Amino acid sequence: MATLLHIDSAVLPGEASSSRSVTAAFRRTWQEQHRRGTVIYRDLVADPVPHITADAWSAGWTDPSERTPEQSAAFAARERLIEELERADAVLIGAPMYNFGIPSTLKAWLDSVLLLGRTAGESPSTQGTPAVVVASRGGSYAPGTPREGYDFVQNYLTAVLANTLGLNLEFIVPELTMAPRNPAMTPLIPIYEASRERAFTDAVTRAKELAELFAA
């Protein structure tokens, strides 16, 4: 029985958020195809992870027998998040672009789960786990666009999720999500709609593939 770890970080709720809409479609498909599976869901807006503190950080490289009570309490919160990630057979993350980067709530989660010698290092405990990131953005940062170099979401998450945690990472990228709201982007609405439709199709397809993989 496989476990999906689903994380959302968009500030907008439900269908008002492009990333939440696409991750919801992925999750629905996963559950339809894999009814005996388990879903661990974390909404980092409704229930934010505390930003890393000195106690939480230093506890990671302090022997448990030598930790202060404050370090032990802080690390216990980190360890719950790490164990959720380690238990997951697949990971789904909604990561909208805010001011060219990921939401601070998602950064806080990453700071908690990244632990050298366990989830990071020569043999990460999460090595090879499939991960799908829905990286929505208001504009387009694709190669050849004027703001190509301003995408600090995919390159950062590749460095952390793939190169450090060892996840088998894929991106689904709904873009130009501001087109229906920004009059200056009205001519881009057809491109936005095509991108949105493609994102939903990719989410459903990948969810089916992973569900079938773990059902086999």
Side-chain angles (χ1 to χ4, degrees), residues 187-207:
L188 300 175
I189 288 178
I191 303 174
Y192 150 73
E193 291 174 341
S195 174
R196 178 179 171 84
E197 183 177 349
R198 184 167 56 251
F200 278 110
T201 299
D202 290 347
V204 169
T205 299
R206 190 59 181 133

Side-chain angles (χ1 to χ4, degrees), residues 22-109:
V22 176
T23 60
F26 183 107
R27 177 176 168 176
R28 280 195 304 271
T29 304
W30 166 279
Q31 291 177 307
E32 289 167 359
Q33 300 291 318
H34 194 56
R35 297 186 182 277
R36 296 180 60 196
T38 300
V39 175
I40 300 171
Y41 181 57
R42 280 199 171 270
D43 185 334
L44 299 179
V45 175
D47 186 18
V49 171
H51 286 280
I52 203 79
T53 63
D55 286 329
W57 186 264
S58 60
W61 40 263
T62 301
D63 188 277
S65 65
E66 298 177 359
R67 290 173 185 160
T68 66
E70 292 77 15
Q71 285 178 315
S72 295
F75 189 74
R78 285 186 70 186
E79 191 156 40
R80 283 194 294 274
L81 299 173
I82 290 170
E83 288 175 350
E84 286 179 353
L85 178 59
E86 290 175 332
R87 278 167 34 212
D89 296 289
V91 179
L92 171 66
I93 300 175
M97 178 188 284
Y98 294 151
N99 299 316
F100 310 118
I102 63 172
S104 64
T105 51
L106 181 56
K107 179 62 164 59
W109 179 82

Side-chain angles (χ1 to χ4, degrees), residues 147-168:
R147 291 194 171 184
E148 175 184 352
Y150 287 74
D151 178 3
F152 302 109
V153 172
Q154 287 184 258
N155 57 0
Y156 170 73
L157 291 179
T158 296
V160 176
L161 297 177
N163 300 342
T164 304
L165 296 177
L167 304 183
N168 184 7

Side-chain angles (χ1 to χ4, degrees), residues 2 30 34 89 130 206-216:
W30 166 279
H34 194 56
D89 296 289
R206 190 59 181 133
K208 286 181 178 179
E209 290 172 348
L210 285 175
E212 290 171 3
L213 173 66
F214 292 115

